[in-house]
Amino acid sequence: MSKRTLKKAVALKYDKLNDRAPKVTAKGKGSVAEKIIEIAQNHGIPIKEDPDLVEALIKLEINQEIPPEVYVAVAELLAFVYSLNQKKKNG
């Protein structure tokens, strides 16, 4: 019998004009995580799987800024999102 891993998801928001760092806007496990992912997909929001980063971020409160310890990982995530957005703009 295989053990099924519980799906987890965290959504981030970053407004470079108003925020010092990205903030957690949604988080959840199981059906809540699946709903977060579904909403992102329905709105064309990029999704990146990173189990280690999710584990670090899911411990934060909603609207809490990410801690400095995960800045590099989140910067890599933002770079991924920006590159996808550029590809969409360019065709």
Side-chain angles (χ1 to χ4, degrees):
M1 203 168 166
S2 66
K3 184 178 176 183
R4 186 172 168 215
T5 304
L6 185 65
K7 188 170 280 197
K8 298 176 186 177
V10 176
L12 298 175
K13 177 184 175 191
Y14 179 58
D15 178 348
K16 63 182 176 183
L17 298 176
N18 297 310
D19 298 332
R20 291 179 297 162
K23 295 179 181 177
V24 173
T25 57
K27 65 178 186 169
K29 299 176 184 177
S31 61
V32 174
E34 290 172 4
K35 189 65 176 175
I36 292 167
I37 293 166
E38 178 185 335
I39 290 169
Q41 290 171 331
N42 289 342
H43 288 89
I45 297 169
I47 298 168
K48 176 91 165 107
E49 290 188 36
D50 188 331
D52 294 332
L53 183 56
V54 168
E55 284 301 321
L57 296 175
I58 206 157
K59 297 172 187 171
L60 302 177
E61 298 298 322
I62 300 296
N63 290 320
Q64 183 177 351
E65 289 184 352
I66 63 165
E69 301 83 53
V70 295
Y71 280 4
V72 171
V74 172
E76 290 171 356
L77 174 64
L78 290 173
F80 166 78
V81 170
Y82 291 141
S83 71
L84 289 179
N85 287 340
Q86 283 302 109
K87 287 179 185 174
K88 272 187 184 177
K89 286 180 184 178
N90 295 333

